[in-house]
Amino acid sequence: ALHVLPAIPSRWRSLSFDGIHLPGGFVIGADVDRGRLRRVRVRSARGGVLRLACGGAAVRDLATSPGQE
């Protein structure tokens, strides 16, 4: 499973990233505002299932179609 920012250092008040390529044709990005994970973006080139946990939350299976955002 992919764990997106499971722990955010207190000095990271604001953060944004995009375009991180993962195995399986997925591309992710995320936004942190006021020290909290606010948004995670997933794009899928080929479709499939990505096991994902965000900000320390439980792991979920995210089913995608080719080209889905």
Side-chain angles (χ1 to χ4, degrees):
L2 172 67
H3 294 264
V4 180
L5 298 171
I8 301 171
S10 61
R11 67 180 183 271
W12 290 10
R13 303 295 300 154
S14 188
L15 166 74
S16 182
F17 65 88
D18 207 7
I20 305 295
H21 290 256
L22 303 174
F26 297 99
V27 181
I28 66 159
D31 298 316
V32 172
D33 183 42
R34 297 185 187 122
R36 295 189 55 130
L37 182 62
R38 299 294 179 186
R39 188 170 126 184
V40 174
R41 295 173 296 286
V42 177
R43 288 187 303 275
S44 175
R46 298 189 302 221
V49 176
L50 176 63
R51 294 186 58 87
L52 184 68
C54 301
V59 174
R60 294 184 1 181
D61 289 338
L62 179 65
T64 64
S65 299
Q68 183 179 358
E69 227 176 276

